[in-house]
Amino acid sequence: MRRVVAAVAGLVLLSACTADDEPEASPSPAPSARSSAPAPSTTPTPSPRVRPDDVRVRTAVEAVQHLAGEIGPRPGTSRAYFRAAAWVEDELTGHGWQVERQRFATPAGYSWNGPVEAGPSVNLVATRGTLRRGRPWLLVGAHLDTVVAAPGAEDNASGVGVLLAVAEALDGRRSRLPVVLVAFGSEEPRGPGDDDHHFGSRAYVASLTEPQRRSLAGMVSLDRVGVGDVLPVGTPAEPNALTDELVAAARRAGVETVLDPFQRSSDHWSFVRDGLPGARLGSTPYAAYHDETDTPEVVQRAQLERTARTVLAWVGAVSP
C-alpha cells in the first residue's frame, strides 16, 4: 500500500540522494599478530560522480509518450492525474528512489479552457541515501498535471520525463549535495490570481521546517523543457547566484542558454515568494500551449537532452 502523508517534507529530508557529504567509514581493525595478511579495508569504494553523459534521453522520450500519448489530459484532481502519479511513482521506485505521497487539497475553478472540480491531489517526493540534519540539499521538481483537454506533452510531460531521466542517471552515482526530486500536483491555474495556481508546490513549501528552509541550496523547476534550440533559464527577478550556477552548468554540459528574467509562471515561484532560492528551466513559446494539439510530436528529443544534461551538470558539479 502506498503511504499517504499530510506533511511529508518534514520526513523526506531524513533521506536524499547519495552525496559527497556522507559520513566517513570506521577505520579498519589492526591485523592479527598471528597472520601476516593485512585486514581487509572497510572503506567503501565511492560511487562515480554523475555526469551529463550519464543521461539516457530515451527515458524522457518514453515518459512523454506515455503521459501525453496514453494517459492524456490530467488535471490535478482527476482520475487521470492519479493514474499518471501511480505510473511516475513506479518509475521512480524502479530507479532506486523511495517515494512518499504528500496529499493536499485543491479548490474548484476554471483551468484555462474548462471547469475543474475541487478535490485532493498529491505530490510525489522521491529521496535516496542519507542526509545530515541542517546540511545543504538540492531540489529538482516538475509538475505532472495539465489543464483541461490538453494532453500536455510539452506542458509538462517534458519536465516529468527529464525528472525521470535525472532519477535514472543518479541511480548508483554521486551528486555534490543530496537531491530531492518532486513531481508536483495541481500546478496549473484554477483562476486569474497569483494564489489560484501552484497548489502542490505551495503545499510542499508550507510543510518545510525552518532547518530545511535554511539548508535548501537551490530549487529548479522543469517546466516546458522539450521545445526550442536554446535552454531558457528563468528567475522571478534579476539573474542571481542560482541562475549563474545553472548557466555555468549548462556551459559545462555544452548547452546554450538564454536568460528569462521576471519569470514567475512555474513552481519555482512558490519557493521564491517564500524567501527560498528557486529558478526555472524551460518556457520557449510554442503554438500548442494549453491546447489539445500538445501531443508527443511537439516535443523535441534534443531539447530534452539539453535540459537533462544541464540538470546533471548542476547536481554533479564540485561545490565551489
Side-chain angles (χ1 to χ4, degrees), residues 25-303:
S26 301
S28 303
S32 169
R34 297 182 180 181
S35 173
S36 60
S41 172
T42 60
T43 304
T45 302
S47 302
R49 184 184 291 276
V50 72
R51 301 173 300 119
D53 290 345
D54 292 325
V55 67
R56 179 178 179 269
V57 186
R58 184 65 188 170
T59 297
V61 172
E62 290 173 350
V64 171
Q65 292 171 340
H66 182 79
L67 293 171
E70 297 183 34
I71 295 178
R74 46 194 184 279
T77 56
S78 66
R79 291 183 178 180
Y81 177 80
F82 282 93
R83 289 201 305 274
W87 182 82
V88 171
E89 182 175 353
D90 286 345
E91 292 295 302
L92 287 167
T93 56
H95 295 316
W97 294 72
Q98 294 81 47
V99 180
E100 297 281 355
R101 287 190 167 206
Q102 180 183 30
R103 189 180 179 95
F104 60 91
T106 307
Y110 196 87
S111 187
W112 196 265
N113 47 15
V116 284
E117 296 180 351
S121 188
V122 294
N123 296 325
L124 303 177
V125 183
T127 58
R128 56 181 297 128
T130 301
L131 174 67
R132 297 177 185 174
R133 178 180 171 84
R135 296 297 294 270
W137 58 288
L138 304 172
L139 188 148
V140 182
H143 76 86
L144 179 56
D145 63 311
T146 69
V147 297
V148 174
E154 169 66 346
D155 191 14
N156 186 40
S158 64
V160 175
V162 170
L163 190 78
L164 292 176
V166 168
E168 180 181 49
L170 284 169
D171 188 4
R173 298 181 179 91
R174 288 182 297 146
S175 54
R176 62 183 171 95
L177 295 173
V179 177
V180 176
L181 305 178
V182 184
F184 291 112
S186 296
E187 184 271 350
E188 294 291 2
R190 295 188 169 218
D194 197 39
D195 290 331
D196 294 324
H197 57 172
H198 306 150
F199 296 99
S201 53
R202 284 162 53 196
Y204 181 86
V205 170
S207 71
L208 292 173
T209 66
E210 281 305 315
Q212 291 161 1
R213 290 167 184 264
R214 288 194 300 269
S215 57
L216 177 61
M219 180 275 179
V220 173
S221 177
L222 309 176
D223 195 347
R224 291 170 41 204
V225 295
V227 170
D229 298 322
V230 299
L231 181 61
V233 177
T235 171
E238 300 286 352
N240 52 43
L242 179 54
T243 56
D244 289 348
E245 283 184 15
L246 291 168
V247 170
R251 186 180 303 114
R252 292 193 301 273
V255 174
E256 183 180 356
T257 59
V258 58
L259 284 172
D260 187 14
F262 305 102
Q263 167 60 258
R264 297 184 176 184
S265 56
S266 190
D267 286 311
H268 67 298
W269 175 232
S270 297
F271 290 77
V272 175
R273 69 186 290 191
D274 219 37
L276 301 174
R280 173 180 178 172
L281 295 181
S283 75
T284 301
Y286 71 115
Y289 177 65
H290 283 182
D291 191 79
E292 62 184 10
T293 59
D294 189 6
T295 56
E297 294 75 20
V298 170
V299 174
Q300 302 162 0
R301 179 189 179 99
Q303 188 73 334

